[in-house]
């Protein structure tokens, strides 16, 4: 126990496991499956029935590495009885996969929920029409440091949140995701969407957004740098400064959040993004209400793969009736997509002109 009664060991850092997990059928054989999905499911003891990818050679290679089945067709994959369908597909492919699932199926959709808001709306309508119980894989919410942060805020250790800063200056290996190299929307839609979704969870929906997102002259990826301000009125300041092109050595790179309340504050380092996918340890420190200094929160895991464990655990438990609420269901995830869309619209709009000297 520390000064003021704050005990970091009492903060929630994990999601309860399902008592009888269902088999998982994964669509897609990209790097995210081998880097995060399958390591998480193996760590948690969740059974993987197999995976499907239209590139069968690629699917067989990944399946053999993990000792699972490579299905030969969509029909074979969707025939697995009682399965949780895990979509690790590019955003433009989500809708077609969802259309192939049995009515009433349970699905976890890789973020983003489509390539744009129109695709997100189409996905929402498919899920409604097919009565799919679908969530979007905004797994940052389930990272141990973020669960602990949310718990600390909920218990009043920071008071009322008035400042949220996200600061990234790092080098991201976009080449790991081949489909992104020619995508028209990259940074906000594929990366900062995690932060926008987390902010929505902690602060609710903003009134609007001011944003500018752009690429870099040293490569052809559509956007890799973003500045954004979320409008929460006259009390909360929320700002993001994102630079994926800080390729000048580790010394001055950063990937961190600073969250300040009226009575306390939190600092987080998102270690995964520093030397992805190997990463560095995550960090959470809290200056609690009534305290006199920063207290390190011992973390029980990392963003990868532990957030994917919690994300799937909630889906599994919801399917079994053990969780009343599905976190980030498509109905709520659509609002994150609407915020992303607004950020792109803001970036495309002209800035307020500066008056010329008379």
């Amino acid at each position: 126990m520390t000064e003021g009664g704050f005990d970091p060991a009492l903060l929630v850092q994990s999601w309860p496991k399902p008592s009888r997990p269902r088999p998982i059928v994964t669509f897609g054989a990209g790097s995210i499956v081998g880097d995060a999905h399958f390591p998480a499911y193996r760590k948690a003891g969740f059974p993987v029935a197999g995976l499907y990818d239209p590139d069968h050679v690629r699917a067989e290679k990944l399946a053999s590495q993990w000792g699972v089945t490579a299905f030969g067709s969509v029909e074979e994959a969707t025939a697995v009885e009682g399965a949780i369908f895990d979509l690790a597909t590019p955003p433009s492919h989500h809708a077609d996969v969802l259309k192939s699932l049995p009515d009433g199926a349970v699905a976890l959709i890789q973020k983003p929920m489509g390539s744009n808001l129109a695709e997100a709306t189409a996905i929402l309508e498919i899920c409604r029409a097919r009565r799919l119980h679908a969530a979007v894989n905004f797994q940052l919410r389930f990272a141990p440091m973020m669960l602990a942060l949310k718990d600390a805020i909920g218990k009043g250790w920071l008071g009322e949140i008035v400042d949220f800063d996200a600061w990234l200056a790092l080098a991201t290996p976009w080449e790991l995701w081949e489909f992104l190299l020619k995508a028209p929307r990259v940074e906000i839609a594929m990366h900062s969407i995690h932060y926008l979704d987390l902010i929505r969870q902690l602060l609710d929906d903003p009134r609007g957004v001011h944003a500018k997102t752009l690429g870099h002259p040293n490569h052809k990826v559509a956007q890799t740098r973003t500045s954004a301000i979320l409008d929460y009125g006259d009390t909360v300041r929320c700002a993001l400064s994102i630079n994926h092109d800080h390729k000048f050595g580790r010394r001055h790179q950063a990937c961190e959040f600073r969250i300040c309340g009226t009575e306390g504050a939190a600092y987080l380092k998102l270690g995964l993004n520093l030397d992805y996918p190997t990463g560095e340890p995550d960090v959470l420190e809290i200056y609690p209400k009534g305290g006199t200094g920063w207290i390190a929160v011992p973390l029980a895991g990392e963003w990868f793969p532990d957030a994917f464990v919690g994300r799937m655990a909630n889906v599994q438990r919801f399917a079994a009736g053990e969780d009343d609420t599905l976190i980030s269901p498509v109905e709520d995830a659509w609002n994150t997509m609407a915020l992303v869309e607004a950020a792109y619209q803001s970036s495309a709009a002209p800035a307020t002109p500066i008056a010329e000297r008379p």
Side-chain angles (χ1 to χ4, degrees), residues 36-281:
H37 289 239
F38 283 0
Y41 304 156
R42 176 173 289 180
K43 181 175 183 177
F46 297 156
V48 177
L51 65 90
Y52 171 78
D53 192 288
D55 184 340
H56 194 61
V57 173
R58 187 177 188 178
E60 285 189 321
K61 181 179 179 181
L62 184 62
S64 66
Q65 291 172 356
W66 289 92
V68 302
T69 299
F71 297 115
S73 67
V74 172
E75 292 74 19
E76 186 181 356
T78 57
V80 176
E81 187 174 351
I84 304 292
F85 296 102
D86 181 32
L87 278 64
T89 43
S92 61
H93 294 183
H94 294 340
D96 287 341
V97 175
L98 292 169
K99 290 176 184 176
S100 72
L101 301 184
D103 286 352
V106 181
L108 180 59
I109 306 167
Q110 184 57 271
K111 62 81 193 166
M113 185 179 162
S115 301
N116 50 49
L117 189 59
E119 289 187 11
T121 300
I123 287 170
L124 181 61
E125 291 172 348
I126 291 167
C127 292
R128 288 172 173 173
R130 304 296 300 277
R131 295 179 290 104
L132 302 178
H133 303 283
V136 175
N137 201 345
F138 289 126
Q139 18 66 25
L140 182 58
R141 295 189 183 203
F142 291 86
M145 58 180 166
M146 297 307 176
L147 290 174
L149 171 67
K150 186 173 184 294
D151 193 32
I153 292 172
K155 290 174 177 175
W157 289 114
L158 275 66
E160 181 184 354
I161 302 303
V162 292
D163 275 286
F164 190 111
D165 277 306
W167 180 37
L168 277 70
L170 41 73
T172 297
W174 298 105
E175 65 276 5
L176 293 178
W177 305 278
E178 186 177 347
F179 74 97
L180 289 182
L181 300 181
K182 296 182 180 179
R185 291 182 171 186
V186 178
E187 203 292 309
I188 299 175
M190 299 302 299
H191 187 91
S192 286
I193 188 172
H194 279 301
Y195 313 144
L196 297 177
D197 181 73
L198 180 76
I199 290 166
R200 284 191 56 248
Q201 182 189 38
L202 298 178
L203 299 177
D204 209 346
D205 290 308
R207 300 176 183 182
V209 58
H210 308 277
K212 183 66 178 180
T213 188
L214 63 163
H216 192 281
N218 286 349
H219 57 70
K220 295 183 179 180
V221 181
Q223 308 95 27
T224 53
R225 297 176 292 162
T226 299
S227 295
I229 298 172
L230 275 59
D231 183 1
Y232 281 98
D234 295 332
T235 302
V236 177
R237 185 188 64 89
C238 181
L240 298 87
S241 177
I242 315 293
N243 178 9
H244 294 272
D245 293 287
H246 197 280
K247 301 179 180 181
F248 308 105
R250 175 64 185 89
R251 181 176 177 182
H252 293 302
Q253 290 181 340
C255 186
E256 54 195 40
F257 293 171
R258 288 176 173 82
I259 300 156
C260 300
T262 52
E263 298 179 90
Y267 167 86
L268 300 96
K269 184 181 85 169
L270 288 69
L272 173 69
N273 291 332
L274 299 161
D275 189 29
Y276 183 92
T278 303
E280 300 177 3

Side-chain angles (χ1 to χ4, degrees), residues 286-309:
I286 292 178
Y287 193 115
K289 173 183 178 181
T292 58
W294 290 93
I295 298 170
V297 177
L299 294 174
E302 306 290 342
W303 183 357
F304 278 37
D306 297 282
F308 288 79
V309 173

